[in-house]
């Protein structure tokens, strides 16, 4: 290291980074123009609980759904007020046997699992793969039993799960395959996104994600029946009992999962620019990865897919060899934060330990536990605009912490 004071900020030394990256701007002037025009129409929601087409939302909802089905390459798309709502509607739409099991990784956000529980199903936690943090197909094969009716995989941090393999496993065992792509709208394997392999899947539009409208979600499927049931569940489902449709016999109990017209308009505008938004995160993520790797820091590993379109960099994930470093992950994370690194993520993937989920069945979760407890370290990429200097500063902060790592041993 040259020119910088080597005493770590966490030990009272000077903070290395004095200028943080700016917040990412999702909303442009043209969005504001269209939004204010829309607001003046006074129609902020087009939904009515009636048996006519207003049951399916207003003009912006429909336009957004047409565009998202096009962008995600599925036949149907359903806009909802969050992806948590999307998960609930999606899992319920399959009407799986009550008490049956859905295989799910513990490395996700709680909504993936609560959607299973709220549909009166039982999550079975299955291990992840160390290099991708995604559900292990081998683990899934071992976990399938007579109670299993589905698999709910996650595309975590911006990297797709092994959706092709998982779909094959699901088909062979007559299971439903769903995917939670909240964090990964574009990345694909062999040119196909995970949702294209799944019976249904979807995306979050909350304030942390690649596209954000405040709160929102998009569920997608190629099944007309599942899309229609999700649409009914979104708007109380009461109209199914007053018309003669084949859905009335399903006795659906719906919710209010409706998205407003303002969010739909913003969502549509951002979907049109989705590739531009994602390309920025991919460029920053790959650049940061390379800058950190150039420092050749012992005991720090970053393994990512080679291909440019195979990671969306919601989070840049890394692994620490804490045995080699003789320093805990949490101490390293605190030291990086103290140097001014924005978006250091260290806690993740402990859903099987949450009191509400702790009694659900688990397979051997060795990899997931080790990553959660000791090895995982990430940098959240989606919320900031990084300049070259911001990225170089972060890499320098890593170098500084590694340079004085002995000081953290005590
Ligand atoms: C993997 C995953 N699933 C589900 C969700 C829930 O999405 P929302 O906040 O839109 O309800 C999130 C949001 O953080 C997520 O990261």
């Amino acid at each position: 290291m040259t020119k910088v004071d080597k005493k770590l900020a966490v030990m009272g030394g000077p903070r290395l980074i004095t200028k943080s990256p700016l917040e990412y701007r999702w909303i442009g002037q043209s969005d504001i123009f269209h939004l204010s025009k829309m607001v003046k129409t006074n129609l902020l929601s087009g939904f009515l609980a009636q048996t006519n087409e207003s049951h399916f939302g207003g003009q912006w909802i429909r336009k957004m759904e047409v565009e998202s089905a096009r962008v995600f390459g599925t036949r149907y798309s359903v806009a909802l007020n969050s992806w948590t709502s999307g998960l609930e509607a999606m899992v319920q739409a399959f009407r799986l046997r009550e008490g049956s099991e859905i295989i799910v990784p513990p490395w996700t956000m709680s909504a993936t699992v609560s959607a299973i529980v709220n549909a009166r199903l039982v999550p079975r936690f299955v291990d992840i793969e160390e290099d991708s943090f995604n559900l292990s197909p081998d683990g899934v094969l071992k976990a399938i039993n007579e109670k299993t009716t589905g698999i709910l995989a996650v595309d975590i941090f911006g990297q797709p799960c092994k959706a092709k393999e998982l779909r094959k496993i699901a088909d062979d065992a007559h299971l439903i395959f769903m995917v939670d792509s909240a964090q990964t709208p574009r990345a694909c394997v062999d040119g196909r996104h995970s949702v294209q392999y799944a019976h249904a899947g979807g995306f979050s539009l909350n304030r942390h994600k690649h596209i954000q409208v405040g709160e929102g979600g998009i569920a997608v499927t190629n099944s007309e029946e599942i899309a229609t049931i999700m649409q009914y569940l979104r708007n109380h489902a009461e109209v199914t009992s007053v018309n003669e449709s084949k859905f009335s016999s399903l006795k659906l109990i719906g919710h209010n999962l409706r998205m407003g017209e303002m969010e739909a308009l913003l969502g549509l505008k951002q979907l049109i620019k989705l590739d531009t938004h994602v390309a920025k995160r991919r460029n920053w993520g790959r650049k940061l990865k390379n800058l950190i790797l150039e420092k050749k820091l012992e005991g720090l590993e970053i393994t990512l897919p080679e291909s440019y379109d195979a990671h969306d960099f919601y989070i840049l994930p890394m692994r620490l060899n804490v045995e080699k470093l003789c320093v805990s992950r949490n101490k390293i994370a605190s030291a990086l934060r103290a140097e001014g690194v924005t978006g250091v993520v260290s806690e993740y993937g402990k859903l099987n330990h949450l009191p509400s989920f702790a009694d659900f069945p688990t397979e051997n979760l060795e990899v997931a536990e080790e990553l959660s407890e000791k090895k995982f370290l990430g940098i959240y990429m989606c919320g900031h605009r990084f300049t070259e200097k911001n990225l170089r500063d972060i890499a320098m902060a890593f170098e500084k912490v590694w340079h004085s790592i002995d000081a953290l041993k005590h």
Side-chain angles (χ1 to χ4, degrees), residues 92-330:
Q92 283 180 40
F94 287 100
R95 300 168 329 282
L96 298 167
R97 197 174 69 245
E98 190 172 326
S100 67
E101 289 185 4
I102 306 295
I103 289 172
V104 68
W107 267 69
T108 177
M109 184 257 171
S110 61
T112 324
V113 180
S114 39
I116 297 170
V117 180
N118 290 339
R120 300 183 189 202
L121 303 166
V122 176
R124 174 172 286 271
F125 291 108
V126 167
D127 214 356
I128 56 171
E129 295 187 317
E130 169 140 338
D131 57 347
S132 68
F133 303 84
N134 275 323
L135 189 61
S136 150
D138 288 345
V140 171
L141 273 174
K142 285 188 203 129
I144 292 173
N145 62 48
E146 67 288 347
K147 290 191 195 155
T148 317
T149 51
I151 302 169
L152 174 44
V154 181
D155 292 336
I156 203 80
F157 299 156
Q159 182 167 350
C161 63
K162 290 194 170 145
K164 190 174 179 183
E165 269 177 79
L166 291 167
R167 175 64 193 250
K168 165 101 180 51
I169 293 171
D171 284 349
D172 291 349
H174 309 291
L175 308 176
I176 296 299
F177 174 49
M178 296 166 278
V179 67
D180 175 347
S181 298
Q183 306 179 356
T184 308
R186 292 317 269 155
C188 43
V189 174
D190 299 331
R192 286 183 82 186
H193 191 281
S194 298
V195 294
Q196 292 170 344
Y197 291 103
H199 291 103
F203 308 89
S204 167
L205 313 185
N206 80 15
R207 60 177 288 204
H208 310 290
K209 298 299 188 298
H210 280 280
I211 41 180
Q212 75 115 336
V213 300
E215 301 290 347
I218 298 172
V220 291
T221 179
N222 285 320
S223 157
E224 184 178 0
E225 178 176 316
I226 295 300
T228 310
I229 295 176
M230 288 195 284
Q231 287 171 325
Y232 282 132
L233 290 173
R234 169 176 69 181
N235 197 1
H236 302 295
E238 59 193 349
V239 301
T240 57
S241 56
V242 291
N243 71 19
E244 294 297 309
S245 84
K246 65 174 183 168
F247 297 100
S248 58
S249 63
L250 300 180
K251 299 186 179 160
L252 299 173
I253 297 179
H255 317 260
N256 175 356
L257 311 178
R258 305 179 299 235
M259 178 186 262
E261 287 285 275
M262 288 194 288
E263 289 81 1
L265 182 148
L266 281 177
L268 173 64
K269 300 281 171 210
Q270 293 191 32
L271 277 166
I272 294 166
K273 289 183 273 184
L274 177 58
D275 286 338
T276 316
H277 287 297
V278 172
K280 288 184 187 163
R281 281 62 177 261
R282 285 184 181 166
N283 293 338
W284 292 327
R286 295 176 83 81
K287 180 103 201 178
L288 183 57
K289 176 197 94 164
N290 292 335
L291 286 168
I292 295 175
L293 287 181
E294 274 167 21
K295 305 285 181 194
K296 301 202 186 321
L297 307 174
E298 211 189 18
L300 179 86
E301 286 172 18
I302 311 181
T303 44
L304 293 168
E306 278 300 307
S307 158
Y308 179 77
D309 65 355
H311 207 295
D312 286 343
F313 290 96
Y314 172 68
I315 283 177
L316 167 62
M318 300 171 236
R319 283 185 306 276
L320 299 172
N321 183 336
V322 287
E323 274 77 30
K324 198 179 249 180
L325 290 163
C326 299
V327 178
S328 77
R329 180 265 319 274
N330 292 352

Side-chain angles (χ1 to χ4, degrees), residues 61-75:
I61 291 284
R62 287 141 198 252
K63 282 182 187 161
M64 204 269 253
E65 289 179 342
V66 168
E67 179 62 8
S68 54
R70 187 192 70 74
V71 167
F72 298 122
T74 53
R75 288 177 63 199

